[in-house]
């Protein structure tokens, strides 16, 4: 009898319905990832083969060196080898070498392995028609038959449409200098509605970025963006007209950051985020945690996907959420990511602070990683921000997974921007009066529907942030993937005026 897929450690909760559901979801996500993005799985295999080849090459070199050492220790010359015995030291090296070869080369060859699985007829016609599946997920796939292939086709169609809509909405939004929200559906933007909204904003003499009382800098051109749509230019405004849209977001001087959070290994949303990096010409990609579902080693494919999606040359920083693990940290660092660790780190010209989430969520539930809770973690980070400020190296932003860390950071007020996810909802941006500085807080994330597998069933929020050369946040915008695959690229929004926190 062959018994497989036993949990790594006994756990009385492992048989509960809730835990079983999480485990099956994790397995299902792994197989869906294999089916929808086989290139990532192949890439992992190639890396593993390369690592194995290097290991074996190193072993062979060690064997050769050991044999040379044996010959030298023996003191033998070719013409007398048959008549002399090896000294004890040489014999020891020889035995050790032979043992090492047996362990590294022979043992893996005879080691028992799980059954390779079976090809399933229900996958015929899919990219993995020849894939072998085994275990409980194979049973589920077999039982549900053609729904698997249908799921894959519908999923691919959904995200192809989503990417096309993102590109269409971004192009139209750029034509307005980011002054109005633009939504694309079926690859098309309602240009009449966009033009109307844009002209209305121009006639009001206000923009999403600055209040009407802000004068245009001396010598600055007066914006007249209606000409972008082929309309007759409107008369020039007064010399006190405000700067519009991207006029206050200088892409040549400012640092542009794309923010993701709570991706939970949805490989298609990860790919979507990479397209946003490309369109926004991002300088930095920030991931605010929960890139994975449980942080298991096989979920390194989630890290691989995000690393591949972010364009080359874009700085990368990630914080670790409650669903991520030490394995996630190691994989991110191995692929060139800066991972927050409780110290101030410079990323793309910004001073960033953050740390690993105090909680750890696995298939068995949520436990505390160490002694700190979220508020205590926030207090420690707040102290770090104030020490940095005293040293003349102000923290530009705190990238932390849980917003429950914010209270002590606001109370101290030594860092001007706090970013969090975790709550699976868009809470937007607010600014509070802090102990030393006004503190702007952004809390966001995708709705829980479809965060791991398949199409999103609730709005999924990503953000683009613009920082001036001094590290000050000057504007932000939301990019929303809707459940019907339409995409809204939001207007550039101002940093809100500070409000006193309720006691």
């Amino acid at each position: 009898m062959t018994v497989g897929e036993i949990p790594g450690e006994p756990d009385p909760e492992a048989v509960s319905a809730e835990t079983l559901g999480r485990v099956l979801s994790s397995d299902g996500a792994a197989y869906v990832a294999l089916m929808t993005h086989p290139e990532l799985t192949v890439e992992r295999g190639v890396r593993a083969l390369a690592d194995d080849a290097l290991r074996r090459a190193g072993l062979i070199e060690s064997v050769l060196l050991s044999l040379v050492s044996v010959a030298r220790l023996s003191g033998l010359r070719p013409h007398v080898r048959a008549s002399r015995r090896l000294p004890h030291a040489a014999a020891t090296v020889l035995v050790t070498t032979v043992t090492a070869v047996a362990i590294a080369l022979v043992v893996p060859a005879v080691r028992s392995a799980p059954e390779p699985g079976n090809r399933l007829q229900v996958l015929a016609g899919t990219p993995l028609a020849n894939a072998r599946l085994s275990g409980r997920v194979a049973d589920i796939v077999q039982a549900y038959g053609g729904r698997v292939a249908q799921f894959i086709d519908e999923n691919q169609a959904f995200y192809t449409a989503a990417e096309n809509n993102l590109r269409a909405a971004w192009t139209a939004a750029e034509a307005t200098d980011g002054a109005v929200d633009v939504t694309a559906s079926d690859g098309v933007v309602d240009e009449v509605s966009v033009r109307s909204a844009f002209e209305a904003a121009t006639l009001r003499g206000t923009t999403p970025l600055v209040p009407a009382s802000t004068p245009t800098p001396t010598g600055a051109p007066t914006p007249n963006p209606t000409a972008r749509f082929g309309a007759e230019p409107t008369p020039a405004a007064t010399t006190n007209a405000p700067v519009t849209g991207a006029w206050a977001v200088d892409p040549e001087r400012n640092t542009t950051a794309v923010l993701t959070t709570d991706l939970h290994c949805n490989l298609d949303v990860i790919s979507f985020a990479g397209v946003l990096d490309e369109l926004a010409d991002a300088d930095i990609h920030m991931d605010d945690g929960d890139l994975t579902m449980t942080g298991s080693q096989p979920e390194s494919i989630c890290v691989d996907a995000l690393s591949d999606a972010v364009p080359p040359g874009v700085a990368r920083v990630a914080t670790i959420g409650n669903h991520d693990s030490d394995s996630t940290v190691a994989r991110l660092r191995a692929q060139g990511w800066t991972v927050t660790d409780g110290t101030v780190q410079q990323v793309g010209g910004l001073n960033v602070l953050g740390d690993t989430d105090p909680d750890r969520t696995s298939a068995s539930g949520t436990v505390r990683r160490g002694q700190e809770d979220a508020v205590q973690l926030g207090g420690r980070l707040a102290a770090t921000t104030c020490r940095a400020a005293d040293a003349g190296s102000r923290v530009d932003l705190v990238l932390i997974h849980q917003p429950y860390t914010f209270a002590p950071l606001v109370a101290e007020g030594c860092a001007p921007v706090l970013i969090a996810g975790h709550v699976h909802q868009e809470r937007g941006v607010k600014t509070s009066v802090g102990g030393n500085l006004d503190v702007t807080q952004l809390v966001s994330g995708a709705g829980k529907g479809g965060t791991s597998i398949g199409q999103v069933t609730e709005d999924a929020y990503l953000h683009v942030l613009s920082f001036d050369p001094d590290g000050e946040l000057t504007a932000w915008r939301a990019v929303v993937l809707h459940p019907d695959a339409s995409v809204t690229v939001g207007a550039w929004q101002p940093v809100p005026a500070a409000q006193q926190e309720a006691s």
Side-chain angles (χ1 to χ4, degrees):
M1 180 179 70
T2 300
V3 178
E5 302 192 36
I6 297 298
E9 297 180 3
D11 186 346
E13 297 297 322
V15 296
S16 71
E18 181 181 359
T19 300
L20 178 61
R22 283 196 295 263
V23 172
L24 288 174
S25 295
S26 179
D27 287 350
Y31 278 103
V32 169
L34 177 63
M35 295 170 192
T36 58
H37 295 269
E39 72 283 356
L40 292 172
T41 304
V42 171
E43 181 180 334
R44 287 186 63 205
V46 169
R47 289 175 179 170
L49 288 172
D51 290 344
D52 186 66
L54 289 173
R55 178 181 65 83
R56 291 173 186 268
L59 174 65
I60 292 171
E61 182 177 357
S62 298
V63 169
L64 292 175
L65 289 173
S66 297
L67 292 176
V68 170
S69 299
V70 169
R72 292 193 176 191
L73 286 170
S74 69
L76 296 179
R77 292 180 175 82
H79 65 280
V80 295
R81 279 179 187 167
S83 61
R84 293 182 61 179
R85 297 183 58 179
L86 291 174
H88 177 71
T92 301
V93 172
L94 181 59
V95 170
T96 302
T97 300
V98 172
T99 303
V101 172
I103 292 174
L105 299 179
V106 179
V107 172
V110 300
R111 184 173 54 197
S112 61
E115 291 297 317
N118 299 302
R119 296 187 180 94
L120 302 183
Q121 183 61 35
V122 296
L123 298 180
T126 72
L128 293 183
N130 293 323
R132 293 180 178 273
L133 277 67
S134 63
R136 49 185 182 252
V137 171
D139 295 337
I140 293 173
V141 170
Q142 185 65 51
Y144 280 88
R147 296 187 188 180
V148 174
Q150 180 181 355
F151 171 84
I152 294 171
D153 290 342
E154 292 176 351
N155 193 65
Q156 290 176 337
F158 178 90
Y159 285 103
T160 297
E163 180 178 333
N164 291 338
N165 289 331
L166 172 59
R167 293 184 182 278
W170 187 271
T171 300
E174 287 301 281
T176 73
D177 280 340
V180 297
D181 295 348
V182 177
T183 298
S185 181
D186 297 326
V188 176
V189 171
D190 185 346
E191 292 195 8
V192 173
S193 296
V194 172
R195 181 187 298 115
S196 176
F198 191 56
E199 290 175 348
T202 302
L203 291 173
R204 285 196 304 268
T206 59
T207 73
L209 278 175
V210 292
S213 59
T214 302
T216 301
T218 304
T222 301
N224 214 337
T226 53
R228 295 284 187 92
F229 293 96
E232 287 297 320
T234 57
T238 66
T239 57
N240 288 330
V243 178
T244 51
W247 291 72
V249 181
D250 187 344
E252 298 300 322
R253 299 175 64 249
N254 286 16
T255 297
T256 301
V258 168
L259 172 67
T260 54
T261 185
D262 297 280
L263 291 169
H264 286 294
C265 208
N266 188 317
L267 303 182
D268 295 290
V269 177
I270 289 172
S271 178
F272 181 88
V275 175
L276 180 58
D277 281 319
E278 170 202 331
L279 295 173
D281 195 19
D283 300 298
I284 307 173
H285 186 105
M286 302 177 180
D287 186 78
D288 198 34
D290 279 5
L291 174 55
T292 68
M293 292 178 291
T294 64
S296 64
Q297 194 282 330
E299 289 178 83
S300 59
I301 193 172
C302 317
V303 179
D304 297 348
L306 186 57
S307 295
D308 289 346
V310 177
V314 176
R316 301 142 192 251
V317 59
T319 202
I320 298 303
N322 56 294
H323 284 268
D324 303 319
S325 67
D326 292 342
S327 174
T328 312
V329 174
R331 192 71 171 186
L332 284 163
R333 286 182 173 148
Q335 296 185 3
W337 287 77
T338 297
V339 180
T340 59
D341 60 2
T343 65
V344 182
Q345 300 169 290
Q346 188 168 92
V347 182
L350 298 179
N351 289 331
V352 180
L353 175 67
D355 208 345
T356 299
D357 193 89
D359 297 330
R360 174 75 178 97
T361 301
S362 66
S364 299
T366 299
V367 297
R368 189 77 55 78
R369 290 184 200 258
Q371 299 301 313
E372 290 181 321
D373 61 18
V375 175
Q376 291 167 329
L377 171 59
R380 175 164 59 81
L381 295 179
T384 301
T385 63
C386 292
R387 285 195 300 271
D390 291 341
S393 181
R394 191 198 69 181
V395 172
D396 296 316
L397 68 94
V398 175
L399 186 69
I400 194 69
H401 186 61
Q402 292 193 37
Y404 314 118
T405 58
F406 281 5
L409 286 157
V410 172
E412 292 292 343
C414 293
V417 177
L418 312 178
I419 296 174
H422 185 65
V423 296
H424 287 278
Q425 59 182 243
E426 172 73 1
R427 294 184 179 175
V429 175
K430 71 174 184 177
T431 302
S432 303
V433 176
N436 290 282
L437 301 171
D438 292 341
V439 182
T440 299
Q441 304 138 70
L442 167 60
V443 180
S444 183
K448 289 189 175 181
T451 52
S452 298
I453 305 174
Q455 306 171 24
V456 297
T457 57
E458 299 177 41
D459 286 343
Y461 283 79
L462 298 86
H463 291 85
V464 184
L465 311 174
S466 183
F467 296 86
D468 71 14
D470 294 325
E472 299 286 347
L473 179 65
T474 60
W476 64 280
R477 71 197 310 182
V479 176
V480 190
L481 170 58
H482 302 290
D484 62 356
S486 64
V487 174
T488 297
V489 174
W492 282 112
Q493 299 293 333
V495 175
Q499 302 291 325
Q500 191 72 46
E501 288 280 289
S503 57

